[in-house]
Amino acid sequence: MKMEKPRELAQWLKEEGSGLFMAGEMCNEIEFNGKSLLDLAADIARGLGLPVAATGNTMRGLRERGIERVGRLMAAEVGAFMRSGWGDPITAERPSTLLLLGYSPGVARRLVTAVTDARTAVLGPAYVEEATCSLPDLSVKAWGQYLDELAQAVKQGA
Amino acid sequence: MADRLVNLGGSQVNISKVARDPRGVEDLLAEAIGEDWQENRFLQFDERLFPYADALDMAEWDGFLLERYPPLYPSLQRECTDCPLGPCSLGVGRCGLGLDTYQARLSLRRACRGCVTQIADSRELVDYALRNFGPDHPISMGQQQDRSDYTAIGVLTGQHVSCLGELNIALSYAEGQMAKLFASSYTVTTGAAALEGTVFHAGSLLMLAQDAAEFVKMSCLGFTNAADKNLEDLIEYPTATTQAGMGGLEAGKPVIAFVGDSVLAAHETVGLLLHQGLAEKVEVGGVGPAGHDIIRFYEQGRLLAPMTQAAKFLHTGLADVVVASNGCLTLDLVGETARTGSRLIWVSPQPLGDLPDRTDDPAEDTAADLLNGAQGAVIRLPQKAAEVAVKVATGLKREGTHLPGEAAIKNEAGRCRDDCDACFRECPNSLPIGTALRSIAGGEPDAFNRVEEGCFFCHRCQEVCPENIPLLDIIAATLKRRAPQDRFIIRAGRGPTSRSESSSYAFGSMWGNCPGKAYIAGCGDAKYLGDLSWIARELVSRNCLVWVAGCAAAEVGRYYDSEEDKHLYQLYTAEAQPRNLMNCGGCTAHAHMLDESQKYSRTGSAISHYANLSETAERMYNLFPQALIIWGALPERMYTIAAAFARVGVPVIVGPSSAFSWDRYLVANKWDWQHWFVHETWGGRKRFIEPTPKHLIVPVETKEEAVTLFSTMTMRATDLRDSRQIRLETYTEFNEKFFGGFPDDIQFYISSDWELPLRYKGKLLKYLADSKGWETQRMKILKARHPDGRMLTLDELAKDYSARTMHVTYIPRLISQVPEGGEVNK
Ligand code: SF4
Ligand code: SF4
């Protein structure tokens, strides 16, 4: 499902059950006019009240941004944990929805197709048709604006 | 079939009872048993031999690995078109093929492609050697090796090879096996895990083929061989004086660049240049494996670029003559040389584009045509290819460049659209291409440097650019501008490791002073220039013994210490001891890393290696603290190399982000504690253990993740106390440094307070108490939490959840058959 509007996506995310936010290394690499992708990741996860799986080197930065329910995982581990009963203390329940931000489109496609029995939302700048829902193709600038609006929307309760 | 009995100490071994069908290989097996078996092991265990092994012969071991680390497949391709019944959308195909099995088929095909290019290269070398030296020509892995030293050939076939004729038989076996595997990749319909066992087998065959190539290179072509040296000569062997990088090329001299696997034409070319007194007048360099090979026999040779940079290098036009063969990576040689005006000589036995086959023409005629403007030629005889290459290089006048200058680049950059970034979305390394272009347009001419350094020239960005901006030209022009500064010093490859050298490492590393052996491989940096040298330095400076081979072997040398005025290879010595950095050589030298590692199963546990992969691998997995980091992997060959290492129990970490496109990970769940157990060798009791190694083949995003994971991947359930302590120390240090805290799974790896690293002991005890609920008192652990929730004393924990220093096994037939207090019945 292609989510053209941040508000629509915020609504969808709010309605999802137990979720896990995955923040990948690209969060450390992208800046939009003074705001980093990691800032936005932290804002969105906080707005949704989700625990965060910090993959790549995002752990320290997320803690510095005040995210408390955060644990370090490797991205490929999520698929392994999901198929065999979960267990990671980051969240007691096996997540029913995964939100991915900070992965290249190629990596995101692989991560979402490696998990079964879960819904997935990819918040990258390219449409990922294998995900349950995804942003459309966006320029870097438009992507930053989209995520900014999404962060606002989830903060306001969509 | 009559029984054949072999005397072994006071016992007799009936060959037909230890090998399924020994017909035709009885002498081989009798020799292996008589010379390499130990009576004790024969009496205690159900010892077997698997000469010229099929993939399924290893099922007892492969099956264990794949149960512990089940394949996880991202399934991007869900439609099968493998047979006329299709296409079938999976689910389940009309032939019964399931989605996972289809993914395993794709995995096997990838592994076969990786293996078959190496086998083809090895075949070229072996045939050349047979023609020039004859089948009786002796071959050796070095004077300091004895016949009990390991090679992949001995492990898979049972054959100790000592001449070219025997090598030919071993390689023929690999060729036959490859045909079977390739067939399986189209016919097997159920059983993904079993099919992944055949992927492992492709890896083992690749190692065999690499060994075959190395035998020829060292025994017939004069390559470096450390196992020909005395121990005391190895510390600086070969000396760290080799120029690497494009900046080493001397301006004004013609350049012959060799690309691909086959080193024969390079060997002939160097011989010719030396013979004609032209060595000072012509630069001879290599890209990828060819470069690593050249510097093992020619001190003036240049190692120009790794395979990740090969296409980009060709696009610069820095080479006057490109001599190319099949290799690990398919390159657009015809297109690139047409663009640059470099002359192309193709030496492999397959056609290439429209290039004419000039193998039977006189060298003078072909050279004259190339000098007069012909783009290239196929010349399948290495000697003739060398003649033509030298004539063309010394006679060619090339002027100008097809690449855009600064003003033209700025002009092109001005067309980039602010509302697009299709290139960024498509780039596998997520390089900020559009942003950099717009910065160039805004007056920052160096803005593209970061893109160029991280680019491996996959062409995707240019293909999707709606404005048709010549991005590849801009990238290559940026590289050409950087080329003069691209220079660093490395140590050329050394070849194999002798038994005495390995034994001295075994003794020198077991006192808690070495976190483990790190193997580093890969096709070159793939996102950030310098990642590989950073990884190597982090590990070697923490006392790991670091082995490198393939394209990564040069790239690790990029690190420069300005205070010492030295590059990494000049900072660390090169013998098999902790805190050393050893370059084994080019792509075929990956086999030396594994051959060396396999020695310990025999040295330490008296496990014969002949035709005995399962036991060898089990012992390696059980005991030896080692892991492989593959960084910047591009071609299928790395996929297959990873399979080879994984199969013998060496866990593999692969990165950075492009590693996710391998589309098969062998990963486990460390939190599922009942998944992790062993059997005691004596009695067979099941024991639960900590989850280690956590994964078998796993992708990571960053170099920091790679080294941190490495520090747990080297832990083994049977670790000695002091060895565990230094591994815990490295794991804790990396976690704190890169991620700002202690690892959330460290409790799994601690079974006594003596294992706690001294510098973290107080803090770790507090962490265990506060976060994991352990009972501690001052500097002691009183009670630890079993993963099932019970609080246990350390003695109870050792009985219930540990196998420290124990003799354990994963293979049922290796549970001792001696009844308690009873007699051996054989
Ligand atoms: S050619 Fe280089 S910059 Fe372009 S998409 Fe490929 S890796 Fe990225
Ligand atoms: S695809 Fe072309 S136009 Fe679009 S951002 Fe990249 S370089 Fe600019």
Side-chain angles (χ1 to χ4, degrees):
Chain A
M1 183 168 35
K2 201 182 278 182
M3 292 292 192
E4 302 281 353
K5 303 235 171 347
R7 282 204 165 270
E8 265 177 287
L9 177 58
Q11 191 60 44
W12 186 87
L13 292 172
K14 280 278 174 190
E15 283 164 10
E16 284 301 300
S18 64
L20 177 68
F21 191 102
M22 292 176 64
E25 179 59 13
M26 214 207 280
C27 291
N28 285 327
E29 295 170 352
I30 305 280
E31 292 269 338
F32 314 93
N33 284 330
K35 201 159 196 186
S36 73
L37 188 54
L38 196 63
D39 292 330
L40 288 164
D43 289 348
I44 296 166
R46 201 181 355 253
L48 291 166
L50 291 181
V52 183
T55 75
N57 299 353
T58 58
M59 180 75 177
R60 192 190 285 270
L62 287 162
R63 281 231 177 95
E64 284 164 3
R65 283 160 181 77
I67 302 292
E68 279 164 14
R69 284 178 70 199
V70 56
R72 192 170 89 74
L73 268 76
M74 285 177 294
E77 284 184 323
V78 173
F81 296 175
M82 293 285 277
R83 74 174 166 192
S84 55
W86 192 246
D88 196 285
I90 191 171
T91 166
E93 273 176 66
R94 180 185 187 277
S96 60
T97 310
L98 295 177
L99 276 71
L100 286 79
L101 180 58
Y103 305 92
S104 72
V107 173
R109 288 178 75 205
R110 288 175 166 91
L111 294 177
V112 300
T113 54
V115 295
T116 45
D117 300 329
R119 288 151 71 85
T120 52
V122 176
L123 309 185
Y127 176 57
V128 173
E129 66 171 336
E130 293 86 355
T132 316
C133 79
S134 161
L135 272 57
D137 286 347
L138 295 169
S139 70
V140 172
K141 199 163 135 195
W143 180 36
Q145 282 163 357
Y146 189 114
L147 293 178
D148 221 10
E149 284 175 39
L150 179 66
Q152 299 297 333
V154 294
K155 193 173 169 190
Q156 293 157 9
Chain B
M1 184 173 38
D3 284 345
R4 168 125 175 223
L5 303 175
V6 181
N7 291 328
L8 181 66
S11 309
Q12 283 198 315
V13 181
N14 183 340
I15 288 185
S16 55
K17 294 227 165 95
V18 295
R20 188 184 310 112
D21 182 0
R23 284 174 299 174
V25 287
E26 294 95 333
D27 291 345
L28 193 85
L29 299 183
E31 210 175 308
I33 294 166
E35 294 207 10
D36 214 40
W37 274 32
Q38 231 206 27
E39 187 182 13
N40 247 343
R41 286 196 68 83
F42 167 65
L43 292 174
Q44 291 177 90
F45 305 114
D46 181 6
E47 293 281 80
R48 305 262 177 91
L49 283 160
F50 299 96
Y52 293 94
D54 272 323
L56 271 180
D57 289 331
M58 301 303 144
E60 60 181 350
W61 173 244
D62 295 342
F64 156 72
L65 286 178
L66 291 160
E67 201 175 312
R68 178 161 281 188
Y69 307 101
L72 179 70
Y73 299 110
S75 335
L76 297 185
Q77 219 172 308
R78 308 178 80 94
E79 187 181 85
C80 173
T81 54
D82 283 357
C83 82
L85 297 178
C88 295
S89 177
L90 307 170
V92 180
R94 292 178 187 99
C95 63
L97 177 69
L99 184 59
D100 266 10
T101 310
Y102 182 56
Q103 304 307 324
R105 275 191 188 182
L106 298 178
S107 168
L108 178 56
R109 264 171 238 170
R110 183 177 283 221
C112 287
R113 284 199 299 273
C115 183
V116 85
T117 56
Q118 180 60 65
I119 289 183
D121 168 45
S122 301
R123 175 47 69 197
E124 285 278 301
L125 283 160
V126 170
D127 285 352
Y128 173 90
L130 283 168
R131 277 197 302 273
N132 284 280
F133 301 94
D136 297 328
H137 183 76
I139 56 171
S140 137
M141 278 279 167
Q143 292 163 16
Q144 306 288 349
Q145 310 268 31
D146 62 41
R147 63 165 299 160
S148 60
D149 274 316
Y150 277 74
T151 67
I153 297 173
V155 177
L156 281 174
T157 66
Q159 174 81 51
H160 167 73
V161 292
S162 57
C163 65
L164 285 172
E166 288 171 349
L167 191 64
N168 188 31
I169 295 171
L171 189 59
S172 304
Y173 151 75
E175 289 160 340
Q177 288 289 308
M178 188 42 52
K180 293 184 196 176
L181 296 191
F182 205 67
S184 302
S185 81
Y186 281 90
T187 54
V188 173
T189 53
T190 49
L195 210 47
E196 285 294 344
T198 63
V199 174
F200 285 157
H201 199 55
S204 301
L205 296 169
L206 174 71
M207 289 295 119
L208 182 156
Q210 295 201 330
D211 267 330
E214 284 288 315
F215 266 120
V216 173
K217 288 174 183 178
M218 293 187 297
S219 303
C220 305
L221 302 180
F223 276 44
T224 49
N225 183 345
D228 270 341
K229 302 281 166 196
N230 292 324
L231 266 186
E232 63 271 22
D233 300 328
L234 290 173
I235 192 158
E236 283 289 350
Y237 176 78
T239 52
T241 49
T242 302
Q243 261 302 335
M246 288 161 267
L249 293 172
E250 227 175 280
K253 281 190 187 177
V255 178
I256 307 178
F258 292 84
V259 182
D261 280 329
S262 178
V263 71
L264 294 169
H267 196 258
E268 295 282 1
T269 302
V270 168
L272 198 62
L273 288 170
L274 292 170
H275 179 70
Q276 295 182 350
L278 291 171
E280 298 302 326
K281 298 206 167 84
V282 178
E283 289 279 19
V284 174
V287 176
H292 283 272
D293 280 351
I294 290 168
I295 60 174
R296 279 181 70 190
F297 66 86
Y298 182 46
E299 275 182 22
Q300 285 156 267
R302 307 278 185 218
L303 206 167
L304 298 169
M307 281 317 281
T308 45
Q309 310 290 317
K312 203 161 60 175
F313 168 80
L314 290 173
H315 203 95
T316 62
L318 282 166
D320 295 292
V321 179
V322 174
V323 183
S325 67
N326 271 327
C328 55
L329 189 63
T330 310
L331 298 164
D332 178 17
L333 291 158
V334 175
E336 291 298 1
T337 50
R339 220 166 274 128
T340 59
S342 309
R343 302 302 193 265
L344 173 63
I345 299 173
W346 175 251
V347 296
S348 282
Q350 298 84 10
L352 184 72
D354 292 332
L355 291 190
D357 187 349
R358 307 287 301 265
T359 308
D360 296 328
D361 293 353
E364 301 77 43
D365 294 358
T366 309
D369 288 347
L370 293 184
L371 286 168
N372 284 328
Q375 186 192 347
V378 178
I379 306 175
R380 288 172 285 140
L381 294 174
Q383 207 174 352
K384 194 176 277 184
E387 267 181 70
V388 175
V390 170
K391 280 187 202 306
V392 174
T394 49
L396 190 66
K397 299 274 170 289
R398 288 166 72 231
E399 275 160 20
T401 173
H402 67 295
L403 295 174
E406 210 170 287
I409 291 175
K410 190 169 178 194
N411 221 6
E412 294 286 3
R415 296 196 292 122
C416 175
R417 290 166 23 185
D418 196 25
D419 63 348
C420 172
D421 289 311
C423 49
F424 168 70
R425 290 193 298 275
E426 204 60 36
C427 176
N429 284 339
S430 298
L431 296 169
I433 307 156
T435 310
L437 270 189
R438 295 188 287 270
S439 299
I440 292 177
E444 293 175 45
D446 293 335
F448 225 62
N449 294 358
R450 159 80 191 94
V451 172
E452 180 275 306
E453 288 183 3
C455 163
F456 57 83
F457 229 60
C458 71
H459 290 216
R460 285 185 223 168
C461 51
Q462 182 158 299
E463 281 161 15
V464 297
C465 176
E467 297 295 328
N468 294 320
I469 297 172
L471 293 167
L472 298 174
D473 282 352
I474 296 173
I475 292 165
T478 310
L479 171 63
K480 199 166 179 184
R481 217 174 47 219
R482 174 171 72 83
Q485 291 85 51
D486 181 48
R487 52 192 305 165
F488 51 101
I489 304 293
I490 64 163
R491 193 187 299 284
R494 46 122 60 201
T497 305
S498 67
R499 170 172 305 276
S500 45
E501 206 183 353
S502 299
S503 301
S504 79
Y505 165 75
F507 183 76
S509 66
M510 62 193 295
W511 312 109
N513 56 344
C514 176
K517 274 204 286 182
Y519 303 105
I520 301 179
C523 311
D525 284 311
K527 184 163 178 178
Y528 296 105
L529 201 62
D531 270 6
L532 271 160
S533 62
W534 183 93
I535 290 170
R537 184 165 168 269
E538 286 292 322
L539 295 176
V540 72
S541 65
R542 280 174 183 76
N543 265 14
C544 292
L545 167 54
V546 177
W547 303 75
V548 289
C551 288
E555 294 303 288
V556 301
R558 285 188 179 275
Y559 173 79
Y560 175 66
D561 183 326
S562 53
E563 273 176 30
E564 296 259 356
D565 189 22
K566 284 180 176 168
H567 287 95
L568 196 67
Y569 278 108
Q570 298 168 304
L571 287 166
Y572 292 93
T573 46
E575 53 180 352
Q577 287 296 334
R579 213 177 177 81
N580 274 255
L581 174 61
M582 320 232 316
N583 177 5
C584 293
C587 205
T588 51
H590 287 106
H592 293 313
M593 302 203 292
L594 214 51
D595 287 347
E596 191 276 339
S597 175
Q598 291 177 147
K599 285 182 207 289
Y600 297 106
S601 298
R602 186 179 183 282
T603 311
S605 308
I607 292 172
S608 167
H609 59 294
Y610 283 109
N612 193 15
L613 190 142
S614 294
E615 270 189 82
T616 302
E618 196 223 31
R619 189 42 39 116
M620 289 169 73
Y621 176 82
N622 247 337
L623 279 185
F624 307 138
Q626 51 192 353
L628 165 67
I629 298 177
I630 296 180
W631 208 250
L634 286 180
E636 279 85 2
R637 193 175 295 168
M638 271 298 149
Y639 189 79
T640 321
I641 287 172
F645 277 73
R647 187 189 221 182
V648 291
V650 182
V652 182
I653 301 158
V654 49
S657 48
S658 55
F660 286 80
S661 64
W662 276 18
D663 291 345
R664 183 270 273 126
Y665 324 131
L666 300 180
V667 283
N669 185 347
K670 65 185 174 187
W671 305 109
D672 180 9
W673 68 272
Q674 285 166 312
H675 183 71
W676 302 87
F677 58 85
V678 288
H679 291 282
E680 290 174 13
T681 303
W682 280 277
R685 190 190 146 208
K686 182 173 171 179
R687 298 183 75 92
F688 289 102
I689 53 163
E690 68 268 53
T692 185
K694 280 186 233 192
H695 305 293
L696 197 58
I697 299 181
V698 61
V700 296
E701 294 169 76
T702 66
K703 60 187 190 304
E704 291 81 3
E705 278 184 305
V707 295
T708 307
L709 182 58
F710 170 86
S711 60
T712 47
M713 292 287 235
T714 53
M715 292 181 195
R716 295 295 179 269
T718 53
D719 272 350
L720 301 174
R721 181 193 68 190
D722 294 356
S723 311
R724 178 57 63 95
Q725 191 185 63
I726 190 168
R727 276 159 218 151
L728 282 171
E729 176 165 0
T730 316
Y731 188 41
T732 309
E733 184 194 343
F734 281 149
N735 263 281
E736 275 221 305
K737 185 171 163 186
F738 302 129
F739 309 107
F742 289 144
D744 68 351
D745 56 2
I746 199 162
Q747 68 281 5
F748 290 136
Y749 305 109
I750 298 166
S751 74
S752 97
D753 27 44
W754 291 102
E755 290 173 352
L756 294 171
L758 291 179
R759 73 169 148 144
Y760 295 110
K761 191 163 185 173
K763 281 203 232 169
L764 269 176
L765 283 167
K766 183 165 175 0
Y767 175 73
L768 289 168
D770 294 350
S771 303
K772 308 294 174 190
W774 288 26
E775 285 177 30
T776 62
Q777 190 182 57
R778 295 215 180 92
M779 297 303 264
K780 287 213 151 311
I781 299 166
L782 298 180
K783 283 195 171 174
R785 191 177 294 282
H786 188 285
D788 69 5
R790 284 176 294 149
M791 293 298 289
L792 302 178
T793 64
L794 292 181
D795 280 348
E796 290 164 342
L797 191 76
K799 284 197 194 101
D800 244 35
Y801 187 67
S802 170
R804 281 303 193 279
T805 69
M806 293 191 70
H807 204 289
V808 294
T809 186
Y810 300 95
I811 299 178
R813 72 177 165 87
L814 297 181
I815 294 169
S816 172
Q817 302 180 334
V818 184
E820 213 170 320
E823 282 286 302
V824 177
N825 182 24
K826 267 194 177 177

